Amino acid sequence: YLGGSAFQTVMDNPVTAYRQLVQQYAKDAAGKPVDPTVASQEAKAVFRAHPVSASLSGVGPRLVGVGFKRIPKFGILLGFSFF
């Protein structure tokens, strides 16, 4: 259960990282909205230039979140197994 959640988080991370990059490039330096195709092209350029680091961007904090979400359930089950 915990391993499956962690696996899913790692597998889904490239999609999540790409979506966040598109949102990041959705505004220019002045804070004005940019055409979505331009934002998408810039995000794709980042992924082409650095595919591994862009795909793994932010995976650490997401895995910590998975741990905080899933471990309490296992802690209770582990506690029951000792009694």
Side-chain angles (χ1 to χ4, degrees):
Y1 193 65
L2 179 63
S5 296
F7 180 76
Q8 182 179 3
T9 300
V10 171
M11 292 288 104
D12 289 344
N13 196 65
V15 176
T16 305
Y18 174 77
R19 182 176 44 83
Q20 288 182 339
L21 275 175
V22 171
Q23 289 176 348
Q24 179 181 336
Y25 289 121
K27 293 188 177 186
D28 61 8
K32 296 180 181 176
V34 177
D35 184 36
T37 56
V38 173
S40 178
Q41 288 172 352
E42 292 198 27
K44 287 178 186 175
V46 169
F47 265 80
R48 286 188 191 113
H50 309 284
V52 175
S53 62
S55 295
L56 295 176
S57 172
V59 76
R62 288 188 187 97
L63 287 174
V64 169
V66 166
F68 279 125
K69 184 177 179 184
R70 302 289 186 215
I71 287 177
K73 295 177 184 176
F74 287 105
I76 291 170
L77 294 175
L78 195 62
F80 284 143
S81 68
F82 284 118
F83 293 110

